[in-house]
Amino acid sequence: MKKIQMVDLKGQYTQIKKEVNDSIQEVLETTTFVNGPKVHEFQKNLENYLGVKHVIPCANGTDALQIAMMGLGLKPGDEVITADFTFAATVEVIALLNLTPVLVDVNPDDFNIDIEAVKRAITPKTKAIVPVHLFGQCANMDAIMEIAKQNNLFVIEDNAQAIGAKYTNSKGEKHMSGTIGHVASTSFFPSKNLGCYGDGGAIFTNDDDLAHTLRGIVNHGMYKRYHHDVVGVNSRLDSIQAAVLDAKLPHLDTYNNKRKEAAAKYDKAFKDNQHIIIPKRSGDHVFHQYTLKIIDADRDALVQHLNDKGIPCGVYYPIPLHKQKAYMDSRYNEADFKVTNQLVKEVISLPMHTELEDDQIEFITKTVIEFIDN
Ligand SMILES: *Cc1c(COP(=O)(O)O)cnc(C)c1O
């Protein structure tokens, strides 16, 4: 059996080595390292794949969120509602822009933002909602868009973990995740479902005016060379990263299917164990993470045991954001975070990537079950 890894980037690269190397070589030959033709090519290909009017590439997923919020013209003091159970980047940029983060609880089964909690958190100062499509499946976008419409709010989808997932709305129509809200952000960090070989990110929108604003903000607020109309940032995607992404994009659906297949094998092994809750599917799930809940058993001891057996695993996330020093706020009430406070004790994410082999999955599931049943 090959050594088990949380994410196997080397194994994946080996399979597409020629495509990636050729694509990078093109950039080297043209020496257009920033905003070269490769960036534009990738942008167009991603717009086609997603069925969205505008993709604005940028330097990373955190910048993408920040720039989206800048582009919407949010002002200091505006309240932005997001999930308490996510990666810190989401709340970080809200705070960085002097907006007021309002963290709310999540669902106990699919870990996505709790719609009733969103409704309760709305005040006259609320300007936006940031649903995070956690671990690879979409938040309840029908409900979120309806709340946004009623309260005149922007919706910014944090799509860093769910690129390629399809959302089916109440009318039965399918949309790619990240194309439903007013604007969305994604990350091309190497371990994400579509990852480059460094940092990268992008913003998506169907709004022509917003897209124009965003294209300026990513490049020092310039719409005409050396004319700075708005305060911007320097957040561009390198051409070499675009070359990697352009070579990998045609494989994204295959990659997501491989993740789904691995998840189905995990499910089958775990589904009858009373101490293990397998991930709920609220819709299409592209498994950025495969995350179990461990009930009435020692999750931390399981983590230790797996590590001892050479099986990497992760606890995403070990501390709710409202308990992080940087984001504590006296307005929060512990009773409003029942779910996240519980999830941090129960969740465990198992190795999940495109190169998992059957003997590895068998070894992982056997090791988990043996420990839980003992
Ligand atoms: C990875 C991630 C980000 C940040 O992306 P970077 O490219 O690392 O800046 C933001 N939000 C979520 C939910 C993420 O998983």
Side-chain angles (χ1 to χ4, degrees):
M1 185 179 70
K2 280 203 322 204
K3 186 173 178 298
I4 299 173
Q5 300 183 69
M6 198 65 187
V7 179
D8 183 1
L9 294 176
K10 182 72 195 279
Q12 191 187 65
Y13 171 61
T14 308
Q15 312 252 355
I16 51 168
K17 193 168 182 162
K18 181 156 178 2
E19 289 141 86
V20 170
N21 289 7
D22 288 352
S23 190
I24 291 176
Q25 190 63 37
E26 269 183 61
V27 176
L28 298 180
E29 297 301 337
T30 56
T31 64
T32 46
F33 296 123
V34 173
N35 270 343
K38 266 288 174 202
V39 176
H40 192 69
E41 230 171 87
F42 169 63
Q43 174 200 317
K44 289 291 162 203
N45 289 334
L46 188 57
E47 284 167 356
N48 275 337
Y49 172 82
L50 294 169
V52 74
K53 277 175 91 176
H54 305 281
V55 165
I56 298 100
C58 66
N60 58 68
T62 309
D63 278 6
L65 272 169
Q66 179 184 329
I67 294 158
M69 288 178 202
M70 290 169 76
L72 291 171
L74 301 182
K75 296 279 179 309
D78 287 350
E79 293 180 2
V80 179
I81 298 173
T82 193
D84 189 39
F85 193 63
T86 172
F87 182 56
T90 323
V91 66
E92 181 176 64
V93 298
I94 299 172
L96 199 66
L97 293 172
N98 286 317
L99 309 171
T100 305
V102 177
L103 297 168
V104 302
D105 214 354
V106 298
N107 302 323
D109 48 11
D110 69 4
F111 314 132
N112 273 325
I113 198 162
D114 176 344
I115 297 304
E116 293 309 314
V118 171
K119 288 184 188 162
R120 283 194 297 273
I122 290 174
T123 75
K125 288 185 174 172
T126 309
K127 287 285 151 37
I129 309 171
V130 186
V132 181
H133 302 319
L134 203 73
F135 300 153
Q137 68 182 335
C138 285
N140 183 347
M141 289 305 291
D142 274 348
I144 290 165
M145 295 312 289
E146 185 55 37
I147 294 170
K149 202 165 132 197
Q150 282 170 6
N151 295 278
N152 204 17
L153 310 176
F154 293 119
V155 174
I156 305 156
E157 294 174 73
D158 183 342
N159 196 35
Q161 300 189 2
I163 195 161
K166 289 182 195 72
Y167 180 75
T168 307
N169 67 17
S170 55
K171 292 180 210 142
E173 300 156 345
K174 286 189 196 307
H175 294 279
M176 300 303 277
S177 67
T179 67
I180 305 157
H182 299 93
V183 60
S185 61
T186 201
S187 163
F188 303 124
F189 187 75
S191 63
K192 300 283 156 97
N193 290 36
L194 179 62
C196 56
Y197 295 167
D199 274 309
I203 311 155
F204 318 149
T205 186
N206 281 310
D207 180 327
D208 297 341
D209 293 337
L210 179 60
H212 175 74
T213 304
L214 296 169
R215 284 191 211 290
I217 294 174
V218 296
N219 197 18
H220 303 293
M222 277 195 288
Y223 296 91
K224 200 173 142 194
R225 208 157 166 75
Y226 298 116
H227 293 254
H228 304 274
D229 295 357
V230 295
V231 177
V233 294
N234 172 7
S235 183
R236 297 170 300 219
L237 182 69
D238 287 4
S239 303
I240 289 183
Q241 298 309 335
V244 173
L245 290 164
D246 209 38
K248 286 179 75 174
L249 180 60
H251 299 282
L252 179 57
D253 286 342
T254 308
Y255 288 160
N256 282 341
N257 284 334
K258 284 191 178 176
R259 289 172 177 271
K260 290 178 198 181
E261 280 165 24
K265 288 171 191 165
Y266 277 142
D267 278 357
K268 191 163 170 241
F270 293 135
K271 68 178 179 358
D272 296 326
N273 192 294
Q274 55 176 344
H275 295 291
I276 303 176
I277 312 282
I278 61 172
K280 182 187 171 184
R281 272 59 152 190
S282 301
D284 187 26
H285 194 325
V286 294
F287 290 98
H288 175 60
Q289 298 294 347
Y290 182 87
T291 303
L292 298 171
K293 287 200 290 181
I294 303 298
I295 308 292
D296 297 328
D298 191 339
R299 191 272 317 265
D300 292 333
L302 173 63
V303 169
Q304 185 59 50
H305 181 72
L306 293 180
N307 287 335
D308 292 346
K309 294 277 178 183
I311 300 171
C313 59
V315 171
Y316 311 117
Y317 296 91
I319 305 170
L321 288 176
H322 80 276
K323 287 189 177 173
Q324 298 282 3
K325 267 192 205 158
Y327 306 112
M328 283 177 182
D329 189 321
S330 58
R331 295 172 315 159
Y332 292 141
N333 182 348
E334 282 310 310
D336 292 331
F337 297 102
K338 282 205 188 77
V339 177
T340 54
N341 285 340
Q342 187 65 23
L343 286 179
V344 294
K345 296 181 210 153
E346 294 176 344
V347 290
I348 181 169
S349 301
L350 298 181
M352 175 49 76
H353 53 79
T354 56
E355 313 302 315
L356 273 172
E357 290 171 4
D358 283 351
D359 58 344
Q360 294 179 314
I361 293 177
E362 229 167 89
F363 180 67
I364 295 165
T365 54
K366 213 176 95 215
T367 310
V368 170
I369 289 167
E370 266 171 16
F371 179 84
I372 293 283
D373 287 347
N374 256 319

